[in-house]
Structures are given as C-alpha cells and as structure tokens.
Amino acid sequence: NSEVLFVAVGESGTILTSLDGITWTSRTSGTTEELRRVIYGNSTFVIVGSSGTIFTSSDGTTWTSRTSGTTNTLFGFTYGNNTFVTVGRSKTILTSSNGTTWTSVTQSFSNPPTFYGVAYGDSTFVMVGSSIVFTSSDRTTWTARSDGTSKYFVDVNYGNSTFVAVGESGTIITSPDGITWTSRTSNVTNELQRVNYGNNTIVTVGTSGTIITSPDGITWTSRTSGTSNLLKDITYKNGIFVVVGQSGSIL
C-alpha cells in the first residue's frame, strides 16, 4: 500500500492519525495512560507508554491492548532485525517479533535506573540512559560502552551510517558503531528530546521549540520552529518531516 499514515500519541491516551501531516483525526485508545512512543514494523503500528501500556493496530484506526508484563513506564522504542524493542524505567527491556507477545530481558544492570532510548543500525542495537551507552547484537545480552560524558541521554537513532544520541543541555554524541563515541557541538543548551533521520538530514528537537539539523551528525544548524513549546518527537516519510509537542503542537 503506497498510502502513508502518520500516527501521533500523547497524554491521556491520545492517538491522532493523518494522511498528510496537516489534517488529523482522533482515534479511540481506551486508556487514559500517557502514550510515549509509536513505531511501525512488521505491518503493525505499536504504541508504548506509562504503566507498561502497549497497543497494536494494523490500520492505525482500531487499537488493541497487549500484555507487556510490566507496570514500568516505557520510554524508548525501535524496530530492527525483525524485532520490536522497548526500554524504560527500572532497567526494563522488552522484545517482541509481532508486537503482541512480549519477552522481558533478564540481564542484571548496575546502572542507570532508567533506559530512555533505543535504536537499531549496522546490525547493532544501541540503548542510552544516564551517562552510559549499551550495545547488543542479539537484543538479549547488552554491553556497557563509555560515552565520554557525564550527561544523561533521552534518545538515540541511526542514519547516514551514524548513531546519534541526544539529551541533557544540548548534548550530542555520535558513533559509527555504537562502541566509540565522539562529542559534538550543538550550539544549544536546551534538552534535546528526539532525533531522527530523513531526506539526508539528521534532525533533533527539544525544549523551548528547539530544532537543529545536520547532514552528518557533526555540524549542527539551529532552525526556527515558530513555537516555544516543548517538542517531543519527529518523524519523516514521503518528503515530510512531522514534529509533535506540548499543548498539541504539530509542525
């Protein structure tokens, strides 16, 4: 199907869908939990959120609640190597091949207390939290890597053969493999919330309407968003970047 569907999620179980990023339709989730992330993979939309909430849908319109096996908030989410991986509070890591049945990773982690972001690229899963990065080739065994900072990271993504992690005080680090990381100058001090890749461009968004872009993850340029609202997420499809944020902001 060549038709593109954008799906945005948020507070109080909010789900919105759009074919063009301009006109949005509210959908019924059946929950009042905060919905944090939505991913599309294996012909399925999957949403994760607070209290271990997980929903799936084949069309973005009708949503079904799934059993996650946890009550912890799920923050980070990715789909790669035919697997959904979501991470969250209290060192939670869940994996699923179909979005319906979920398995908890039982590895013991000394720190950090919360995992905020996870991404897949170059046959590697990368997970970020406070002052530490983890990598895994199999989604089950994770190895701690040094990121060279004392900052916490909120998100990580992969594009242009580069992992990019973003977070506290405008902090950005990049890596070709998830193992060796280099700090980059973002020229902003606001917390960066999400990073994504599209149209040969890496884009990250954050607090106070922050949007900065880069062709390579090294050199970053600030863009005018036209809002001072917190920007929470960004995606790209069919020539359109869509950003969503606080107070129903959609750009």
Side-chain angles (χ1 to χ4, degrees):
N1 192 328
S2 60
E3 188 174 82
V4 171
L5 185 70
F6 293 100
V7 179
V9 300
E11 294 178 352
S12 303
T14 299
I15 301 175
L16 305 176
T17 65
S18 174
L19 295 175
D20 57 9
I22 299 170
T23 302
W24 293 81
T25 301
S26 180
R27 304 299 182 182
T28 301
S29 67
T31 185
T32 57
E33 297 287 352
E34 181 173 0
L35 304 178
R36 293 277 185 165
R37 297 296 301 270
V38 57
I39 289 287
Y40 183 80
N42 193 22
S43 301
T44 305
F45 292 97
V46 184
I47 294 172
V48 299
S50 60
S51 303
T53 299
I54 297 180
F55 285 93
T56 67
S57 175
S58 61
D59 58 9
T61 300
T62 303
W63 294 85
T64 302
S65 179
R66 304 300 183 181
T67 301
S68 67
T70 183
T71 57
N72 293 324
T73 296
L74 303 171
F75 291 110
F77 202 11
T78 194
Y79 180 78
N81 196 23
N82 302 313
T83 305
F84 294 98
V85 179
T86 182
V87 301
R89 200 176 300 282
S90 300
K91 307 170 187 176
T92 300
I93 304 174
L94 305 178
T95 68
S96 175
S97 62
N98 55 16
T100 302
T101 304
W102 293 83
T103 301
S104 177
V105 173
T106 58
Q107 180 176 338
S108 177
F109 295 93
S110 58
N111 58 36
T114 299
F115 301 134
Y116 287 109
V118 63
Y120 180 79
D122 193 28
S123 302
T124 304
F125 288 92
V126 174
M127 179 173 62
V128 297
S130 302
S131 307
I132 200 164
V133 175
F134 292 90
T135 65
S136 176
S137 60
D138 62 4
R139 314 171 303 279
T140 302
T141 303
W142 296 82
T143 302
R145 310 293 184 182
S146 173
D147 59 47
T149 79
S150 58
K151 306 294 186 180
Y152 67 81
F153 293 93
V154 182
D155 196 28
V156 61
N157 218 318
Y158 183 82
N160 195 20
S161 302
T162 304
F163 287 100
V164 179
V166 302
E168 176 186 7
S169 303
T171 302
I172 297 176
I173 57 175
T174 67
S175 174
D177 55 12
I179 298 172
T180 304
W181 294 85
T182 303
S183 291
R184 305 300 182 182
T185 301
S186 69
N187 298 309
V188 300
T189 57
N190 295 323
E191 180 177 291
L192 302 174
Q193 291 275 312
R194 287 289 182 268
V195 58
N196 215 328
Y197 178 80
N199 194 29
N200 300 313
T201 305
I202 303 168
V203 183
T204 181
V205 301
T207 59
S208 302
T210 298
I211 299 178
I212 56 176
T213 69
S214 174
D216 53 14
I218 300 171
T219 303
W220 293 85
T221 302
S222 291
R223 306 299 180 182
T224 301
S225 67
T227 181
S228 60
N229 287 336
L230 165 65
L231 302 179
K232 292 284 290 184
D233 210 347
I234 179 169
T235 192
Y236 177 85
K237 196 70 176 179
N238 272 26
I240 303 171
F241 287 97
V242 177
V243 177
V244 297
Q246 187 181 42
S247 302
S249 296
I250 299 178
L251 312 176

